[in-house]
Amino acid sequence: MDSIHYLIVSIFTYALEALVLIHYCEHIFSSHHSFRQRICGVLILYTISSLCSGFQNMFINVSVFFISTYIVIHMLYNVRIKPAFLHTSIITLVMIVTELVIFAVFPDYGIHIQSYVNEFDFKLLIYVLSKFMYFCVMFAISHFEGKKIKTSFFLNNRQFLLLLGILAIFCFIITAFVNITVSFQLKPFVYRLMFACSISMILVALLIIEIYYLIQRQEQEKQELKMQLMVEKE
C-alpha cells in the first residue's frame, strides 16, 4: 500500500475511533466544556494520532492512542486521574482486541497478510468491520457503566438487547461482505459498494441508538416536569 493510501486508511480509522469515543463519553461523563470544544479537542488529538501512525510502529500507535484518549477523558470530560486511567485502559484494550479478532475470524488474512497489503479497498473494508466490532463493544460497556453510575438517562434491558441485536445483524452483514472479498475476485466498484453499505450501516446504527437516547431524555424531562408541577401545587 502506498503512502497516500496508508494515510487515507489511517485518517479513516482514527475518525471512526474518535466517533466511538465521543459516543462513549457523552453517555457516561459530564463536562464543563461546550460540545463544540469537546469535538474540536477530540479531532485535534486524533488527527495527531493519525499522523503518528505514519511511523508504522505498533507500540507508537498504541501509546499515542492511549495518551490521546486519556487527555480527552481527563481534561475534556473532567474525570479524575484514576478513573480516567481505568477507562482509557479499558478502551485501549477493547481497541486492540477488536483488531486482533480480525485475524481469528479470517485466518487466511492473518497468514497471508502481505498479499492483502496492496488491496486498498479490501483494507478499508477490514477496518470498517474491526471498528464496527469496537463500536458494538463500547456501546455495551457504556450501557452498563451508565447504569452503574446512574446517569440521568439510560436504556432499559429490553431496549438495550434490541439495539444489540440490530448491531449484531449489521456486524454479521459486514463480516459476510469481507468473506466475499476474501473468497472471490471482485471488480473495484463492488468493493466500494460494499464499503459504502458498511459505512451506511454504522451511521444508521449510531442514529438509531441516538434516537433511543433522545426518547429516554425526553421521558426523563417529562418526569422531572411532572414532579416539579406536583411540588408547586403542594
Side-chain angles (χ1 to χ4, degrees), residues 34 178 182:
S34 68
V178 179
V182 170

Side-chain angles (χ1 to χ4, degrees), residues 179-210:
N179 264 316
I180 291 170
T181 62
V182 170
S183 304
F184 303 99
Q185 284 291 111
L186 302 172
K187 294 182 179 180
F189 85 90
V190 180
Y191 280 110
R192 286 160 195 159
L193 179 61
M194 289 191 290
F195 173 73
C197 290
S198 300
I199 291 296
S200 299
M201 280 187 276
I202 292 177
L203 295 177
V204 168
L206 187 62
L207 180 62
I208 291 172
I209 290 171
E210 290 303 319

Side-chain angles (χ1 to χ4, degrees), residues 27-28 146 149-154 216-217 220-221 224:
H27 295 299
I28 296 181
I149 63 178
K150 297 182 180 179
T151 53
S152 58
F153 61 94
F154 52 84
Q216 289 295 99
R217 189 181 295 113
Q220 180 71 21
E221 289 173 354
E224 290 175 355

Side-chain angles (χ1 to χ4, degrees), residues 16-35:
L16 288 180
E17 288 175 353
L19 184 65
V20 172
L21 179 64
I22 291 170
H23 180 268
Y24 177 82
C25 292
E26 288 294 316
H27 295 299
I28 296 181
F29 310 124
S30 58
S31 176
H32 299 304
H33 301 282
S34 68
F35 184 70

Side-chain angles (χ1 to χ4, degrees), residues 7-218:
L7 180 62
I8 292 172
V9 170
S10 297
I11 292 172
F12 167 76
T13 301
Y14 279 99
L16 288 180
E17 288 175 353
L19 184 65
V20 172
L21 179 64
I22 291 170
H23 180 268
Y24 177 82
C25 292
E26 288 294 316
H27 295 299
I28 296 181
F29 310 124
S30 58
S31 176
H32 299 304
H33 301 282
S34 68
F35 184 70
R36 181 179 296 179
Q37 289 174 326
R38 299 196 295 273
I39 293 293
C40 289
V42 171
L43 290 178
I44 290 169
L45 288 166
Y46 273 67
T47 299
I48 294 171
S49 298
S50 66
L51 294 175
C52 289
S53 68
F55 292 108
Q56 301 189 31
N57 183 292
M58 187 180 68
F59 178 76
I60 293 175
N61 290 348
V62 173
S63 298
V64 174
F65 176 88
F66 184 92
I67 294 168
S68 300
T69 304
Y70 177 81
I71 292 173
V72 169
I73 294 174
H74 177 57
M75 299 186 68
L76 296 182
Y77 287 90
N78 313 115
V79 180
R80 290 176 297 173
I81 293 175
K82 288 183 180 179
F85 184 83
L86 177 62
H87 281 280
T88 303
S89 300
I90 292 171
I91 292 169
T92 304
L93 179 63
V94 171
M95 185 273 295
I96 293 171
V97 169
T98 50
E99 290 202 356
L100 292 177
V101 163
I102 294 297
F103 296 101
V105 176
F106 304 102
D108 185 63
Y109 174 68
I111 296 170
H112 305 291
I113 188 170
Q114 293 302 322
S115 65
Y116 289 106
V117 167
N118 294 322
E119 298 291 343
F120 173 63
D121 296 315
F122 178 79
K123 290 285 284 186
L124 277 178
L125 200 55
I126 278 285
Y127 277 103
V128 168
L129 177 58
S130 172
K131 298 312 162 189
F132 192 80
M133 290 178 178
Y134 175 59
F135 171 64
C136 292
V137 176
M138 294 305 298
F139 165 67
I141 293 173
S142 66
H143 169 74
F144 290 113
E145 284 294 314
K147 290 187 73 173
K148 186 171 71 175
I149 63 178
K150 297 182 180 179
T151 53
S152 58
F153 61 94
F154 52 84
L155 303 174
N156 60 43
N157 290 334
R158 184 177 179 181
Q159 292 169 330
F160 170 69
L161 291 174
L162 174 62
L163 291 174
L164 205 60
I166 293 171
L167 293 179
I169 292 170
F170 285 173
C171 192
F172 175 80
I173 294 171
I174 298 173
T175 304
F177 285 164
V178 179
N179 264 316
I180 291 170
T181 62
V182 170
S183 304
F184 303 99
Q185 284 291 111
L186 302 172
K187 294 182 179 180
F189 85 90
V190 180
Y191 280 110
R192 286 160 195 159
L193 179 61
M194 289 191 290
F195 173 73
C197 290
S198 300
I199 291 296
S200 299
M201 280 187 276
I202 292 177
L203 295 177
V204 168
L206 187 62
L207 180 62
I208 291 172
I209 290 171
E210 290 303 319
I211 288 173
Y212 265 95
Y213 275 117
L214 178 62
I215 292 170
Q216 289 295 99
R217 189 181 295 113
Q218 289 176 340

